[in-house]
């Protein structure tokens, strides 16, 4: 349940401008996840979610860019950003297309993140196949990739 809740949190903050824990809690409740403010606070800390200034002058929750840098090396992060051509997901699986010969580097970057929602990756020459713990985790990770590459 914890991994599903945390995946849903990542999905919510990637799709919506969430400014407070109360708003996040309301979104989680609307999605069918019953929780408390204290639990949400712990999840925010574990996921290394921070507030950043949005383009509208307000603050919103987002994944820390420092977290990305500390989760895997800056070199692999740069490779991931430069090599991904396209990406999509279906149910609990992600398919990431890369430039030829760089799928292993992209898979390595994903593996180095150490996310509990990633069960494993498989790399070919230009394609990475990632199996996630559940459908929500795949949707949330898709959102993270979208944020990383935009």
């Amino acid at each position: 349940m914890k991994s599903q809740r945390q995946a849903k949190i990542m999905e919510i903050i990637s799709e919506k401008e969430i400014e407070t824990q109360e708003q996040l809690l309301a979104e989680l409740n609307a999605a069918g996840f019953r929780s408390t403010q204290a639990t949400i606070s712990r999840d925010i800390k574990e996921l290394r979610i921070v507030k950043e200034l949005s383009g509208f002058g307000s603050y919103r929750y987002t994944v820390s860019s420092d977290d990305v840098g500390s989760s895997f090396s800056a070199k692999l992060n740069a490779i991931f950003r430069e090599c991904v051509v396209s990406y999509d997901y279906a149910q609990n699986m992600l398919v990431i297309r890369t430039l030829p010969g760089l799928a292993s580097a992209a898979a390595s970057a994903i593996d180095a993140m150490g996310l509990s929602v990633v069960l494993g990756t498989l790399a070919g020459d230009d394609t990475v196949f990632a199996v996630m713990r559940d459908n929500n985790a795949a949707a949330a990770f898709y959102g993270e990739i979208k944020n990383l590459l935009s």
Side-chain angles (χ1 to χ4, degrees):
M1 186 67 170
K2 178 180 177 180
S3 65
Q4 292 174 339
R5 183 184 63 248
Q6 289 184 346
K8 189 64 176 178
I9 289 170
M10 297 301 284
E11 180 182 340
I12 290 168
I13 67 167
S14 70
E15 294 175 354
K16 298 183 178 187
E17 298 282 324
I18 303 295
E19 296 180 29
T20 66
Q21 288 183 11
E22 292 77 19
Q23 286 176 319
L24 183 56
L25 186 57
E27 290 290 333
L28 282 171
N29 285 334
F33 291 87
R34 301 292 174 238
S35 193
T36 65
Q37 187 275 327
T39 301
I40 300 304
S41 183
R42 284 190 296 273
D43 287 340
I44 287 170
K45 185 175 182 179
E46 282 182 27
L47 295 170
R48 297 186 179 145
I49 295 173
V50 297
K51 282 190 173 183
E52 74 174 2
L53 188 60
S54 72
F56 303 109
S58 60
Y59 286 90
R60 66 179 290 264
Y61 283 114
T62 187
V63 177
S64 169
S65 59
D66 290 341
D67 181 44
V68 173
S70 66
S71 294
F72 55 97
S73 74
K75 191 176 215 177
L76 284 177
N77 185 11
I79 289 171
F80 191 78
R81 285 180 179 216
E82 296 300 320
C83 74
V84 172
V85 174
S86 67
Y87 51 96
D88 207 347
Y89 74 99
Q91 295 185 2
N92 70 322
M93 300 170 286
L94 274 93
V95 175
I96 302 167
R97 304 267 183 199
T98 68
L99 295 172
L102 295 176
S104 291
S108 180
I110 293 168
D111 292 339
M113 293 173 82
L115 298 174
S116 63
V117 295
V118 178
L119 296 179
T121 59
L122 179 65
D125 183 54
D126 63 354
T127 304
V128 176
F129 178 74
V131 178
M132 309 303 286
R133 189 160 302 282
D134 55 41
N135 297 358
N136 290 334
F141 195 63
Y142 173 85
E144 287 184 56
I145 293 172
K146 187 175 183 178
N147 287 339
L148 179 66
L149 298 179
S150 61

